[in-house]
DNA sequence: ACCTGAACACCGTTCAAGT
DNA sequence: ACCTGAACACCGTTCAAGT
């Protein structure tokens, strides 16, 4: 109590924060990110978030506004954290394929991103870098103008669509009846073909095969549809 | 009151239905179908349904069990009502393309069906008819076994994926910034290319071009990836 | 600056009770 | 057989009030 003899040192703690905040905006964002990754966008609830952080629901609102604003922020962080793709390999086909593969990998890493970005009107902005990279390779292959733009968009639709189908497959329950069961139940069916369809889909291989077929045809083949214009 | 003189005729109304039911199972299903078409699956609420039919919420439960069972029934009706596809045209490429176009048209007519069917594990069953039709054409083109199955799956993934991307586009708000704005803002960009990308996507044409490129390559082209196995 | 509970308008679902 | 209201456990959000 009688400490006047000792010159008081500058207090270690600054004067302002009398008590430290129970949660931070950062903590809310991190918890929300985890919830979305584990349970999907629908699994993100303000009340779950509050319970997980040991705080009243209304505190969450003070830090991030509301659920929509919270999702906006998550989307912004995700998009900002996306790696920029660079083509690799030699020859236009190989280089376009490397971009397609990279785009698929990035999108698979953030399964909810496509929908969230699209709802917020950010789709063109998000895909601009990959679109530019693809356009450069397509131009190097000798395509120009409308035809180049169409080839780029065809690859983009193909890759994004493939990832969306994969996402459906990933989060689907056991399908019943199985394609295998259906094909083996066919009485008059080609048994070789039935056997081939009974094999589960190897999606990596299917992506490679289909994308290569598409890209080769777009860059090298004749295009009757193009000539119509 | 004194009617004993007159032999009572058989009453017109049967004795059982003292009062007619307020709603029928059929009416619930129809109202639910309309709600889903107008507001999406998330817009289907048991309470909205009840309000629309002028009945207590719990009546809905008596007729259809619960929300999940109601959706099950809707899915079953939708799948049952799907037209079966038939190939048209001459030559394998044209016939496969006609199947792809038909599949896209059917799927676009029921935008929520893919997700609902998949959640219920009915995806293989739903796509079996189109898969069989595609397989027949691919076999006619000379492919067999694994290679035929892979070609069929490539087309299926492409078409379904394309429709999923289109669905995103359809239900997206105004995108901002636009692809047009982004490309025109590029200082060092190829102005011809920028102009091409500034044009809005013609999705019918894009579907035709990309699908034809894919199918041609799958049925006619050389496939390095196939040789690896 | 940061947190709280109360309150409101929505959900899906169950239950006991009516006719 | 068919419908009802009450009740429960969930939502997102706003507000006035605390410190």
């Amino acid at each position: 109590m009688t400490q006047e003899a000792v010159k008081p040192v500058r207090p270690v703690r600054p004067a302002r924060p009398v008590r430290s905040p129970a949660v931070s905006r950062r903590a809310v964002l991190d918890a929300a990110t985890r919830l979305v990754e584990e349970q999907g966008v629908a699994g993100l609830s303000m009340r779950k978030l509050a319970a997980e952080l040991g705080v009243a629901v209304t505190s969450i609102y003070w830090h991030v506004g509301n659920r929509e604003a919270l999702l906006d922020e998550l989307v912004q962080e995700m998009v900002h954290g996306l790696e920029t793709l660079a083509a690799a390999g030699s020859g236009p086909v190989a280089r376009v394929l490397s971009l397609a593969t990279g785009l698929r990998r990035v999108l698979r890493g953030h399964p909810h991103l496509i929908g969230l970005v699209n709802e917020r009107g950010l789709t063109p902005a998000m895909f601009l870098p990959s679109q530019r990279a693809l356009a450069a390779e397509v131009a190097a292959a000798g395509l120009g103008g409308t035809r180049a733009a169409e080839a780029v968009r065809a690859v983009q639709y193909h890759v994004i669509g493939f990832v969306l189908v994969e996402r459906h497959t990933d989060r689907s329950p056991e399908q019943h009846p199985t394609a295998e069961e259906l094909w083996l139940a066919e009485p008059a069916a080609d048994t070789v073909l039935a056997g081939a369809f009974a094999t589960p889909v190897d999606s990596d291989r299917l992506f490679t095969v289909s994308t290569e077929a598409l890209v080769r045809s777009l860059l090298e083949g004749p295009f009757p549809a193009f000539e119509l214009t």
Side-chain angles (χ1 to χ4, degrees), chain A:
Chain A
M1 311 292 179
T2 57
Q3 279 186 309
E4 60 181 36
V6 184
K7 180 77 188 293
V9 293
R10 191 148 57 89
V12 180
R13 308 196 135 217
R16 237 209 293 149
V18 177
R19 47 161 204 255
S20 61
V23 280
S24 63
R25 177 181 171 83
R26 190 64 259 156
V28 173
L29 293 172
D30 290 342
T33 302
R34 240 196 35 245
L35 261 180
V36 169
E37 279 171 3
E38 287 171 4
Q39 314 192 26
V41 179
L44 173 66
S45 114
M46 305 301 268
R47 295 179 125 101
K48 271 196 243 170
L49 215 46
E52 192 145 330
L53 294 168
V55 93
V57 205
T58 40
S59 290
I60 308 290
Y61 281 83
W62 194 88
H63 282 288
V64 297
N66 58 22
R67 189 173 184 274
E68 202 54 28
L70 170 56
L71 281 173
D72 288 348
E73 184 64 28
L74 292 188
V75 168
Q76 194 173 322
E77 289 192 351
M78 276 173 153
V79 171
H80 189 264
L82 290 187
E83 61 176 303
T84 52
L85 297 176
S90 62
V93 172
R95 293 177 67 80
V96 169
L97 283 179
S98 75
L99 288 173
T101 304
L103 182 56
R104 170 170 174 252
R105 177 171 33 79
V106 168
L107 293 180
R108 292 202 68 178
H110 303 272
H112 321 95
L113 195 52
I114 300 178
L116 287 171
V117 162
N118 193 61
E119 284 167 4
R120 281 155 187 79
L122 300 171
T123 301
M126 179 187 181
F127 286 109
L128 183 67
S130 59
Q131 193 169 52
R132 246 185 331 217
L134 283 168
E137 301 304 327
V138 166
L143 305 196
T146 305
R147 187 158 158 177
E150 209 148 33
V152 166
R153 283 168 171 162
V155 173
Q156 287 189 301
Y157 269 60
H158 180 79
V159 174
I160 300 169
F162 198 97
V163 172
L164 290 175
V165 175
E166 280 189 295
R167 189 160 74 89
H168 272 278
T169 307
D170 288 346
R171 62 174 46 191
S172 70
E174 2 62 66
Q175 301 288 316
H176 173 77
T178 306
E180 179 172 5
E181 297 166 7
L182 288 167
W183 275 94
L184 295 182
E186 296 281 306
D190 177 350
T191 53
V192 178
L193 203 57
F197 277 111
T199 311
V201 177
D202 178 344
S203 66
D204 286 343
R205 182 176 159 80
L206 185 60
F207 179 77
T208 303
V209 169
S210 62
T211 309
E212 177 166 351
L214 176 69
V215 171
R216 255 187 210 292
S217 198
L218 288 172
L219 296 189
E220 299 174 350
F223 305 101
F226 278 107
E227 313 310 331
L228 295 177
T229 316

